[in-house]
């Protein structure tokens, strides 16, 4: 079976874009936003790099069109993460 290849830093950017909003939500829950963001970012970097090494040992080289697609995909992931963050923040604020 052929192994699926991804662009360089695909999983790293995915881990960061998911880790930061989760960290912000945890920071709001525990009342310390700075520590929440730091923990979320750190966890996202660590998980992303581990996945990058495990699932993407031979990354694809990107041309300019693929690079633009990757940037759009990253923006979409950040927007989804922000939507999750806003939903959690609204839930926390409204439940108090």
């Amino acid at each position: 079976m052929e192994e699926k290849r991804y662009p360089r830093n695909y999983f790293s950017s995915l881990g960061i874009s998911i880790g930061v909003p989760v960290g912000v939500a945890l920071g709001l829950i525990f009342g310390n936003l700075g520590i929440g963001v730091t923990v979320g970012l750190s966890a996202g970097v660590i998980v992303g790099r581990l996945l990058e090494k495990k699932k993407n040992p031979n990354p694809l080289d990107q041309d300019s069109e693929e690079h633009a697609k990757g940037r759009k995909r990253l923006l979409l992931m950040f927007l989804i993460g922000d939507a999750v963050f806003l939903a959690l923040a609204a839930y926390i604020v409204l439940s108090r």
Side-chain angles (χ1 to χ4, degrees):
M1 189 168 136
E2 187 176 321
E3 185 176 328
K4 188 165 181 181
R5 294 175 59 195
Y6 299 93
R8 185 177 312 279
N9 296 326
Y10 175 80
F11 290 102
S12 298
S13 61
L14 180 66
I16 292 170
S17 63
I18 292 172
V20 170
V22 169
V24 169
L26 289 174
L28 289 174
I29 290 170
F30 293 116
N32 194 335
L33 192 58
I35 291 178
V37 170
T38 304
V39 168
L41 179 63
S42 301
V45 168
I46 291 169
V47 169
R49 294 308 291 173
L50 290 173
L51 285 173
E52 191 75 33
K53 285 184 180 183
K54 181 179 181 182
K55 294 190 176 250
N56 202 15
N58 189 13
L60 291 173
D61 291 329
Q62 293 181 324
D63 59 13
S64 61
E65 184 179 319
E66 290 174 349
H67 185 69
K69 280 184 183 178
R71 292 181 67 86
K72 288 178 184 176
R73 186 173 42 243
L74 182 62
L75 177 63
L76 178 65
M77 285 186 263
F78 273 116
L79 291 174
I80 291 170
D82 288 342
V84 170
F85 159 71
L86 290 174
L88 285 172
Y91 174 76
I92 292 167
V93 169
L94 295 175
S95 66
R96 291 187 179 184

